Amino acid sequence: MVVGSFQVYAALKIKIALAVSIAHFLLGLLCMLTRRNALKQILGYCLMENGSHLTLALMAYNAPETVEIGILTDAVFAVLIMLVIARRLSKGFGTLDTGKHTLLKG
């Protein structure tokens, strides 16, 4: 239903893959909104990022390899930064439960 509105020539051939990438993004969003553990939220963020990268890679099927390398490095650095933040949260507060991090509220 979501993919049916795309009228791009490249998307017409790969509607199933595009539907999978959108579903990947939406599952990541659901994971980020419903989980309270910081590591599970990081995994949800990674799902969202991978879904968006898959959509971009499908839309630009003739892109050079440097775009693929850029996507890979972006994903790796995003995961590393998020894990560093989770580790500091764990050391600072003693838990990864985001509901217990009341000192972070403004």
Side-chain angles (χ1 to χ4, degrees):
M1 185 169 80
V2 174
V3 180
S5 63
F6 283 96
Q7 296 300 323
V8 180
Y9 177 73
L12 293 176
K13 294 182 179 180
I14 49 175
K15 279 189 177 183
I16 294 173
L18 188 60
V20 168
S21 68
I22 292 171
H24 207 93
F25 181 84
L26 293 175
L27 283 173
L29 182 65
L30 178 71
C31 184
M32 282 191 66
L33 293 176
T34 59
R35 302 295 174 199
R36 292 179 67 138
N37 189 334
L39 285 178
K40 292 178 184 176
Q41 288 180 350
I42 290 171
L43 290 176
Y45 173 77
C46 291
L47 282 171
M48 287 177 57
E49 188 176 34
N50 289 336
S52 65
H53 286 158
L54 180 58
T55 303
L56 292 174
L58 289 172
M59 291 299 190
Y61 59 93
N62 287 332
E65 295 165 355
T66 56
V67 174
E68 295 173 4
I69 293 171
I71 289 173
L72 176 69
T73 55
D74 176 48
V76 169
F77 285 120
V79 170
L80 289 175
I81 290 169
M82 296 292 251
L83 288 176
V84 167
I85 291 171
R87 188 170 182 177
R88 294 196 69 180
L89 281 174
S90 177
K91 283 184 179 180
F93 293 101
T95 183
L96 287 175
D97 186 9
T98 56
K100 296 180 181 177
H101 297 161
T102 56
L103 295 175
L104 295 176
K105 293 182 180 177

